[in-house]
């Protein structure tokens, strides 16, 4: 079982590492609606790792089952702010910082009070959502990226439940390191 888990984790890490650093649809893909939104979180390592990390971290938090729905709601609010034209200075760097932050929390097995966790996750989600709102402003796109994000967070929760504590912490360290690299590249 441990070898299978490790192989799965390494496969996921390898697949994620081979993706482009940031998710930015171009041309016809940007206007494709639901499909573009559905694919979007899988095509950028920043969004992919953030969603997985929220799921992983939520498993070990007080009232952690509330974190993924909070993330989705705040991401939608952030997307609406992006569609409305709100430009957040340093947005891509902020998104990379969220990846590093949540990865660190996983690596350190940090348990925060529920109110702090919810507030922090909501802020992270608003940043991700704002970027999505600028990149994919259609309603159908929003439905797609919300659905894909929910799937990724569920996958993260699954991993957080079945993996050993050591493997979870190792995954968190890898996510944090990738977040730091993304900050450096921005």
């Amino acid at each position: 079982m441990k070898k299978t888990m490790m192989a799965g984790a390494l496969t996921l890490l390898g697949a994620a590492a081979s993706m482009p650093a940031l998710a930015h649809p171009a041309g016809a893909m940007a206007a494709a609606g639901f499909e573009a939104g559905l694919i979007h979180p899988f095509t950028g390592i920043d969004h992919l790792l953030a969603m997985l990390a929220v799921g992983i971290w939520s498993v070990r938090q007080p009232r952690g089952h509330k974190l993924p729905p909070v993330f989705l709601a705040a991401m939608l609010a952030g997307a609406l702010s992006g569609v409305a034209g709100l430009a957040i200075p340093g947005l891509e760097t902020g998104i990379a910082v969220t990846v590093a932050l949540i990865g660190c929390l996983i690596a350190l097995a940090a348990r925060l009070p529920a109110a702090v966790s919810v507030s922090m996750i909501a802020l992270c989600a608003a940043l991700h959502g704002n970027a999505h709102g600028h990149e994919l402003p259609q309603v159908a796109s929003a439905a797609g990226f919300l659905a894909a994000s929910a799937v990724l967070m569920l996958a993260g929760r699954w991993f957080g439940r079945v993996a050993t504590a050591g493997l979870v912490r190792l995954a968190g360290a890898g996510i944090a390191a990738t977040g730091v690299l993304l900050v450096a590249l921005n």
Side-chain angles (χ1 to χ4, degrees):
M1 178 75 167
K2 281 187 180 182
K3 287 182 182 180
T4 303
M5 294 275 294
M6 183 61 83
L10 291 174
T11 300
L12 178 61
L13 182 60
S18 68
M19 292 181 191
L22 300 171
H24 296 285
M29 185 62 143
F34 181 81
E35 292 153 1
L38 190 65
I39 293 168
H40 189 73
F42 294 97
T43 60
I45 197 164
D46 52 352
H47 295 290
L48 175 78
L49 290 179
M51 303 313 150
L52 290 170
V54 168
I56 294 167
W57 189 61
S58 71
V59 170
R60 299 212 164 95
Q61 295 308 299
R63 298 190 180 110
H65 65 282
K66 293 183 179 184
L67 295 178
V70 165
F71 193 98
L72 291 173
M75 190 166 59
L76 178 58
L80 293 173
S81 75
V83 169
L86 175 66
I88 298 174
L91 179 62
E92 292 298 334
T93 299
I95 289 170
V97 167
T98 68
V99 174
L101 172 66
I102 301 169
C104 283
L105 293 170
I106 295 166
L108 297 171
R111 289 179 57 90
L112 301 178
V116 173
S117 296
V118 166
S119 299
M120 185 195 70
I121 288 299
L123 178 60
C124 293
L127 291 175
H128 284 268
N130 184 266
H132 287 313
H134 287 291
E135 297 163 355
L136 297 164
Q138 302 83 10
V139 172
S141 298
F145 71 68
L146 288 169
S149 297
V151 167
L152 286 167
M153 284 186 277
L154 286 173
R157 283 186 61 81
W158 170 83
F159 178 79
R161 283 191 186 107
V162 302
T164 65
L167 188 55
V168 167
R169 291 178 81 156
L170 182 61
I175 291 168
T178 303
V180 169
L181 179 62
L182 291 172
V183 169
L185 293 174
N186 279 314

